[in-house]
Amino acid sequence: MGNHGQVTPGTYHHGHHWKNAHEEFEGAKQGMWVFLVTEVLMVGALFVGYIIFRAMYPEAFHEAHKLLNPKLGLLNTFVLITSSWTMVLGVSSIQRGQVSRCLAYLMTTVGFGFVFLIVKYFEYSHKIHEGILPGGLYTYKELAMDKVPLFFSLYFMMTGVHAFHVILGMGLITWVMLRVKRGEVSKQFFTPVELVGFYWHFVDLVWIFLFPLLYLLG
Amino acid sequence: MAHANSTSHGSNYLNHEKGLWSWLTTVDHKRIGLMYLATVLTYFLVGGIFALLIRLELFTPGGGNLITAQTYNRFFTYHGAIMVFLVIIPAIPGSIGNFVLPMMVGAKDVAFPKLNLFSYYVYLAGGIFATLALFLGGADTGWTFYTPYSIRTSGAVILVVFGAFIAGFASILTALNFIITIHKLRAQGQSWSRLPLLCWSLYATSVIQILATPVLAITLALLIFERVFKIGIFDPALGGDAVLFQHFFWFYSHPAVYIMILPAMGVISEIIPVFSRKPIFGYKAIALASFGIALVAFIVWGHHMFVTGQSELANFVFSLLTMFVAVPTGVKVFSWVGTMYKGSLTFNAPMKYAMGFIELFTIGGLTGVFLATLPIDVHLTDTYFVIAHFHYVMVGGTIMGFVGGMHYWFPKVTGKMYNESSASVAFWLILLGFNLTFFPQFIAGAQGMPRRYWSYLPEFTLMNQLSTIGSWFLAVGFAWTAIYMIRDARKGPKAGDNPWGAGTLEWQSPSPPPHDNFPVDPVVTTWPYDYRGIKI
Amino acid sequence: MANDHNHDSSHGHHYILPDGVAFKAFAALLVLTVITFALSFVHLGSLNYVVGMLVACVKATIVVGVFMNLRKDDPSNTVIFASGFVFLAIFVVLTSTDLLFRGNVYTNNKPIFKAIAGPSKFKKPWEPTPELVAHGKDVFSQQCVSCHGAAGEGNGPAAAALNPHPRNFTQDAGWKNGRKPSQIFKTLKEGIAGGAMASFATLPMDDRWALSHYVASIGPNILKDETADLAKIGVDPTKDSAGSDAAPSVPVEWAMKKLVQEAGAGSGKQVVPGASDSLMHYGDRLDAATFSKQKP
């Protein structure tokens, strides 16, 4: 996925083992899809754990999910979907050579990421304050049903891993923004923007399933 | 900037750039392959030493010959974890795969050379974490880290688990690189039906790595969080399910054993036709069987859990499905034998190892069918029968393939030829030593000797002593191999470009190859197993 | 020439997502999100799950197909991405064949799928009937014969190694809890301390009543339960059902203590939970305080 090339704007040198820049781009893109498959399996395994325990303990999970705030979850869903849209606009901007537009959209995307994390911060801090914590740390007396702490173990793992990927994504987008600013990424070579965009869309994709599963259906 | 063109003045990938720094920062797949090789062999030595110590302790029935029970538990944990995660899984893809695959498809490098170098350092980092753990409290859980013991036990479990977690990413990155290389960097004329079988095997291996390893990653991460934050998903005392851990763990670890064996099978598929001077029998069948094995690999993991309290339904389903993996495996074994039939056989070291592979892997594979049979497994599980089974396939299979491959590509990699009589001595020591070490373990296991036991009942003494003696022959065989290979790499006679008369693309290039792999971009016009036009 | 390093205009035809298409996809995603949220307030039972996940799949398809361009891309990328979900499905389905089909012990006595752990078939199972006795004989042949022998004489294949000897049901002597069905039922539920007779509380209640009646029936004479006997085991004979049994699991705390005790037994060593040289190390990271808060 790297840029083997020189920095002179307007020229791009693809890796010498590729036939041409197009092949290199297609290869990088396919490589990104292969990487996303690994993410599907990794995050998916957590969903598998959730599905199994939910089938085993439906009442406990139902009661537990009521302690989540669906309105905040909905807000975060809107935030991520919008950020995916701005990401896509960032990609098409740089494909057309519109550098400042691209930077504006990418910055907005990172901004939305911040909003997501802030909402998550409020959710988590409220839970920590109430003692609604995973597994062995759970101390919330108002709902002391068997297996409820298990729900929260899964909740914190799944949303935690997700939030971690949001942070990583924000870092990647920022890195790409710097490269765009330096001219290393441009209309001639926009692979990094597109592939980082894929990463960001994947993060959105996971939330599209997390939100209804945990917050709404329980 | 043009890359200096290759064959003139003996310029090759070894002298292209000199100095340690040029190696540490190389993006040349051939150099990276050698770096993987060096590290894999180092860990093989470390894991092997633990094995020898275990066998020494087991020379007599009572415990405490050499080490305490606690230390013994740590040693078999280290032996298993090091061998599985740091040796057998990365060995062939990381070393032989990295070196040979791009050349076999006619490419100048893998798709993502920098990612390749990064994957090596990730592998090294994983190894370093695991090694650190040895000195910071160790782990005594067995390499399988079953809960709840792995949650409760003191020690550096988190470090060992973290090391395996990191090493897994190297596995994923290598696989990613190989898949895109095979998809996108094949030379002109290198159609799918002309792709060498090692490439097909590595392709299937890579698919397994991509799909299975991430589940190990999340499982190990969950285990770490269990220990640190008591999340309780696998801890029955906190409402979780300990058997669920095993499902998560084996969903990776069973396909992992096919990650281990498929590349070795690919190496065997390359060696046998060359040393039979006969096209490989059943090329399409072998290629498809690689994917058949990869697919069945994912639906059988519960056969490791027959006595855990798994439901009867699951036991039945997994036992039945496991039987199917024998089919594509059998297709391969019969094809190799069919290749040799009426061939003109020569028994250089690579061929010796290939035939040793067929013998040992067949025994290992058949005993796998015994273990897949549910009522029999109830008696044999957690006995030495299982240990013998997996050592026959992993050592008798993968390691034989690995060492055979090292001999086969030795002239290409070094430009020199190893000494056949030295190799012969080592081979027989290894083959006989291996059988002496592990065959008695089948017997002891069938008679009821449990595994992971520091002391055993006196009736198993003879089998254990035979096994320990065998381990000494194995050790000498491997040590001698290391010695003559290092000796001959430096001072062996010069080897030609194609000393074996093989048909795959890497042999059309000088030995050692130039930095860019080929003096001229290759164009493929023939099937690589057609030996009619090739002179030795 | 193919290997031209310099300004390489062979970009191929890169599809640039038109802003209009992007906006329509975005709008669709917002609308679908609102629909999901609204539908979650409508109680459709388990259909809520189906609908919720279906909508999520549609949204996912829009993100992957439009935002990530799969609909215009090389189809092999779609195959690659989809394969991840296929194998995830294999993972969840095969794991479920274990976790969701285990029965009583792991599910707090609630049946997951009725077919496997069905409702009680017998009314007033404490009253002997020919069907119960016949069913009891079946269960006996699976669960009891290895110790008690095919005819219940206490001479099964495993009996030789047991001390005390398994009970001979055809004689009157030695019954620790008594020979009445309710007393046999108690024995089955609790086991007998100091011997090899384990608790069979993991068997469904109906099986244990059936066994009780069968074992009573092969005795020298059949004894009957009085109301007082039934009251001792918590059965109200005026009702049809005996209610549900307590969860057949032992408290983990208790099990840990026992294991630690047994690890030290006979070695002359005092094994103390928490001692770092204990053979099994179970004590190391445990302490009573941690576990007193947890239910098993």
Side-chain angles (χ1 to χ4, degrees):
Chain A
M1 276 195 315
N3 161 24
H4 308 261
Q6 314 296 318
V7 177
T8 349
T11 63
Y12 171 68
H13 295 230
H14 61 79
H16 71 301
H17 54 295
W18 293 99
K19 257 208 307 261
N20 53 53
H22 175 69
E23 287 293 305
E24 185 185 55
F25 171 66
E26 289 296 316
K29 185 150 53 102
Q30 190 165 86
M32 189 64 191
W33 281 110
V34 173
F35 171 71
L36 289 178
V37 170
T38 69
E39 288 280 348
V40 166
L41 266 300
M42 195 176 79
V43 171
L46 288 174
F47 278 87
V48 168
Y50 180 85
I51 290 170
I52 303 263
F53 279 126
R54 166 69 181 65
M56 288 168 79
Y57 310 121
E59 301 87 7
F61 273 44
H62 186 74
E63 291 304 311
H65 104 281
K66 289 185 190 164
L67 297 180
L68 298 180
N69 187 332
K71 294 203 188 94
L72 286 182
L74 182 68
L75 172 62
N76 262 348
T77 310
F78 285 139
V79 166
L80 276 187
I81 289 177
T82 313
S83 74
S84 261
W85 180 49
T86 54
M87 184 74 225
V88 156
L89 294 174
V91 172
S92 36
S93 306
I94 194 67
Q95 285 174 328
R96 291 187 205 113
Q98 300 159 322
V99 171
S100 43
R101 245 206 194 164
C102 170
L103 288 171
Y105 280 127
L106 291 186
M107 183 119 61
T108 315
T109 309
V110 174
F112 279 120
F114 264 116
V115 173
F116 180 90
L117 291 174
I118 290 170
V119 173
K120 269 259 90 34
Y121 167 78
F122 281 117
E123 284 186 277
Y124 276 13
S125 52
H126 174 256
K127 293 207 170 45
I128 293 170
H129 183 255
E130 295 288 313
I132 302 171
L133 287 166
L137 305 172
Y138 185 87
T139 54
Y140 185 62
K141 298 199 173 35
E142 277 80 343
L143 183 59
M145 208 169 144
D146 206 23
K147 308 298 180 189
V148 160
L150 193 57
F151 174 88
F152 287 101
S153 301
L154 288 161
Y155 167 79
F156 278 105
M157 269 312 289
M158 291 166 88
T159 57
V161 167
H162 178 261
F164 174 69
H165 282 79
V166 169
I167 296 172
L168 278 180
M170 287 162 64
L172 286 170
I173 297 174
T174 309
W175 170 68
V176 163
M177 276 170 62
L178 290 171
R179 298 191 70 192
V180 168
K181 251 191 160 176
R182 289 202 292 253
E184 290 165 15
V185 172
S186 64
K187 188 172 171 182
Q188 267 72 38
F189 173 68
F190 50 78
T191 313
V193 189
E194 182 141 3
L195 299 194
V196 165
F198 281 10
Y199 187 85
W200 191 255
H201 295 311
F202 185 77
V203 165
D204 182 21
L205 197 68
V206 173
W207 186 260
I208 281 174
F209 284 98
L210 263 186
F211 168 60
L213 199 60
L214 264 52
Y215 286 79
L216 300 181
L217 297 168
Chain B
M1 179 188 101
H3 292 285
N5 243 329
S6 349
T7 35
S8 46
H9 319 300
S11 158
N12 56 54
Y13 78 99
L14 289 168
N15 55 35
H16 173 81
E17 272 182 316
K18 296 228 170 119
L20 181 63
W21 190 248
S22 76
W23 279 83
L24 294 177
T25 55
T26 184
V27 291
D28 179 351
H29 66 98
K30 302 181 287 300
R31 287 187 168 198
I32 294 175
L34 289 182
M35 283 154 65
Y36 263 104
L37 183 68
T39 312
V40 162
L41 292 176
T42 307
Y43 279 117
F44 186 57
L45 175 67
V46 174
I49 289 174
F50 283 120
L52 290 171
L53 291 170
I54 289 170
R55 286 273 22 119
L56 223 44
E57 171 60 46
L58 292 177
F59 195 72
T60 63
N65 290 331
L66 209 65
I67 50 182
T68 63
Q70 177 61 338
T71 309
Y72 183 84
N73 292 351
R74 295 202 169 129
F75 279 15
F76 68 67
T77 304
Y78 303 154
H79 171 71
I82 290 174
M83 288 304 203
V84 168
F85 294 116
L86 302 177
V87 179
I88 307 241
I89 285 176
I92 298 179
S95 61
I96 296 178
N98 259 323
F99 196 102
V100 174
L101 180 85
M103 295 192 76
M104 269 191 171
V105 302
K108 293 197 171 79
D109 210 310
V110 289
F112 310 115
K114 286 190 203 158
L115 199 66
N116 203 10
L117 181 68
F118 182 62
S119 84
Y120 169 73
Y121 283 117
V122 170
Y123 161 63
L124 189 63
I128 289 173
F129 274 109
T131 313
L132 265 176
L134 265 54
F135 299 103
L136 291 178
D140 62 347
T141 56
W143 78 277
T144 47
F145 307 117
Y146 282 177
T147 59
Y149 187 67
S150 57
I151 302 172
R152 308 255 187 279
T153 186
S154 58
V157 174
I158 293 183
L159 263 181
V160 180
V161 164
F162 191 64
F165 175 81
I166 299 284
F169 284 105
S171 190
I172 288 175
L173 294 175
T174 300
L176 197 157
N177 235 327
F178 283 2
I179 291 174
I180 307 301
T181 305
I182 292 174
H183 279 185
K184 301 281 189 189
L185 288 180
R186 282 171 289 133
Q188 200 184 339
Q190 181 68 290
S191 62
W192 288 105
S193 56
R194 289 185 186 145
L195 199 62
L197 287 169
L198 177 63
C199 302
W200 280 109
S201 295
L202 287 172
Y203 188 11
T205 306
S206 300
V207 170
I208 302 179
Q209 284 171 297
I210 293 293
L211 292 168
T213 319
V215 177
L216 178 75
I218 198 68
T219 308
L220 297 179
L222 283 171
L223 184 58
I224 294 175
F225 279 102
E226 279 271 9
R227 281 181 71 94
V228 177
F229 294 115
K230 304 192 185 147
I231 52 175
I233 290 177
F234 300 132
D235 189 346
L238 297 178
D241 193 306
V243 178
L244 187 67
F245 174 84
Q246 295 191 32
H247 281 291
F248 271 61
F249 179 81
W250 287 111
F251 182 82
Y252 163 75
S253 299
H254 189 78
V257 313
Y258 300 103
I259 296 174
M260 298 175 202
I261 198 63
L262 276 171
M265 289 176 159
V267 171
I268 302 306
S269 295
E270 294 301 331
I271 291 176
I272 288 190
V274 169
F275 291 91
S276 311
R277 302 319 295 163
K278 198 167 155 264
I280 186 84
F281 181 91
Y283 168 85
K284 262 202 202 126
I286 296 181
L288 282 174
S290 301
F291 280 93
I293 291 175
L295 182 62
V296 179
F298 279 93
I299 57 177
V300 301
W301 75 85
H303 64 230
H304 297 271
M305 300 162 57
F306 283 149
V307 297
T308 56
Q310 213 175 214
S311 73
E312 277 180 31
L313 176 63
N315 273 353
F316 161 70
V317 166
F318 281 119
S319 176
L320 177 65
L321 290 175
T322 306
M323 300 298 173
F324 288 112
V325 78
V327 175
T329 311
V331 163
K332 288 197 176 204
V333 176
F334 284 120
S335 297
W336 293 322
V337 173
T339 306
M340 297 194 296
Y341 177 66
K342 288 197 177 168
S344 172
L345 308 181
T346 50
F347 295 99
N348 301 74
M351 187 60 159
K352 288 190 168 92
Y353 281 99
M355 296 183 68
F357 175 100
I358 293 182
E359 182 233 323
L360 299 178
F361 178 74
T362 301
I363 293 175
L366 286 175
T367 52
V369 180
F370 300 175
L371 292 167
T373 311
L374 181 56
I376 297 184
D377 186 79
V378 170
H379 296 279
L380 294 179
T381 194
D382 279 336
T383 66
Y384 262 80
F385 194 92
V386 177
I387 295 193
H389 158 71
F390 64 68
H391 281 91
Y392 261 83
V393 285
M394 290 205 285
V395 182
T398 305
I399 296 291
M400 296 293 268
F402 182 48
V403 179
M406 286 201 326
H407 285 84
Y408 181 60
W409 281 289
F410 187 94
K412 179 58 56 186
V413 171
T414 61
K416 310 254 173 55
M417 188 53 95
Y418 63 85
N419 180 281
E420 275 300 341
S421 12
S422 301
S424 196
V425 168
F427 169 76
W428 289 111
L429 278 172
I430 289 173
L431 187 70
L432 295 174
F434 177 86
N435 279 305
L436 187 59
T437 309
F438 292 104
F439 203 85
Q441 292 185 10
F442 276 129
I443 298 172
Q447 291 174 341
M449 180 179 171
R451 64 183 288 195
R452 292 180 173 170
Y453 269 43
W454 167 70
S455 70
Y456 52 83
L457 295 174
E459 60 248 41
F460 302 122
T461 308
L462 177 61
M463 294 300 124
N464 272 283
Q465 292 184 332
L466 288 174
S467 180
T468 301
I469 294 169
S471 71
W472 299 334
F473 283 100
L474 252 188
V476 172
F478 283 128
W480 177 230
T481 307
I483 291 171
Y484 74 73
M485 280 202 153
I486 294 174
R487 175 197 73 193
D488 296 340
R490 290 156 141 209
K491 300 192 201 142
K494 203 158 177 304
D497 294 350
N498 192 357
W500 311 125
T504 44
L505 276 181
E506 75 274 23
W507 301 103
Q508 316 308 334
S509 190
S511 305
H515 172 74
D516 260 4
N517 292 346
F518 298 99
V520 174
D521 285 349
V523 174
V524 178
T525 52
T526 55
W527 189 50
Y529 304 106
D530 188 351
Y531 300 108
R532 282 171 296 178
I534 303 179
K535 297 187 198 89
I536 298 187
Chain C
M1 260 201 82
N3 284 338
D4 188 356
H5 280 256
N6 295 321
H7 20 262
D8 195 318
S9 58
S10 50
H11 288 288
H13 325 280
H14 286 307
Y15 176 76
I16 302 180
L17 187 69
D19 286 356
V21 176
F23 180 74
K24 282 196 205 123
F26 168 58
L29 287 168
L30 289 179
V31 167
L32 286 167
T33 307
V34 170
I35 290 178
T36 309
F37 189 72
L39 278 177
S40 69
F41 292 103
V42 180
H43 292 290
L44 304 161
S46 38
L47 216 56
N48 272 110
Y49 253 90
V50 177
V51 168
M53 287 297 109
L54 248 147
V55 174
C57 286
V58 173
K59 289 166 76 179
T61 313
I62 295 176
V63 170
V64 169
V66 180
F67 283 176
M68 295 167 84
N69 246 335
L70 261 192
R71 70 194 167 111
K72 294 276 180 187
D73 202 354
D74 180 0
S76 33
N77 288 339
T78 307
V79 171
I80 289 173
F81 191 60
S83 67
F85 295 96
V86 169
F87 284 87
L88 212 51
I90 291 175
F91 187 20
V92 72
V93 166
L94 286 178
T95 305
S96 304
T97 65
D98 174 23
L99 278 274
L100 303 184
F101 283 82
R102 283 206 195 132
N104 294 348
V105 177
Y106 292 89
T107 61
N108 294 325
N109 256 345
K110 288 200 195 69
I112 297 285
F113 293 93
K114 292 205 167 154
I116 306 301
S120 175
K121 294 190 286 283
F122 301 101
K123 275 200 197 139
K124 296 192 194 282
W126 51 87
E127 286 172 11
T129 63
E131 301 126 302
L132 268 171
V133 172
H135 180 55
K137 187 168 184 206
D138 265 335
V139 181
F140 187 89
S141 67
Q142 290 164 23
Q143 302 283 349
C144 319
V145 159
S146 53
C147 293
H148 289 282
E153 289 165 341
N155 57 1
L162 297 174
N163 184 13
H165 215 64
R167 184 62 49 227
N168 181 341
F169 297 135
T170 63
Q171 291 177 357
D172 193 40
W175 297 68
K176 291 244 160 54
N177 288 329
R179 278 202 291 127
K180 295 186 183 168
S182 63
Q183 294 165 330
I184 301 173
F185 185 85
K186 175 177 146 84
T187 305
L188 284 168
K189 185 164 172 201
E190 300 171 355
I192 302 231
M197 177 58 189
S199 154
F200 280 83
T202 50
L203 291 178
M205 246 178 119
D206 286 346
D207 284 0
R208 283 184 271 131
W209 275 118
L211 273 174
S212 304
H213 294 305
Y214 172 71
V215 168
S217 77
I218 60 177
N221 60 314
I222 299 181
L223 300 177
K224 283 215 164 116
D225 282 318
E226 310 292 329
T227 314
D229 297 311
L230 292 171
K232 275 204 200 123
I233 56 168
V235 170
D236 177 354
T238 62
K239 301 233 164 65
D240 266 351
S241 151
S244 73
D245 251 341
S249 52
V250 299
V252 174
E253 212 177 320
W254 180 87
M256 297 292 187
K257 285 210 194 93
K258 281 271 162 196
L259 283 164
V260 168
Q261 271 171 19
E262 284 171 28
S267 70
K269 278 174 143 195
Q270 173 75 6
V271 179
V272 174
S276 62
D277 62 349
S278 88
L279 284 175
M280 291 175 71
H281 265 273
Y282 265 94
D284 269 0
R285 296 176 83 245
L286 303 178
D287 54 81
T290 313
F291 286 95
S292 60
K293 282 190 246 170
Q294 305 304 329
K295 289 161 108 191

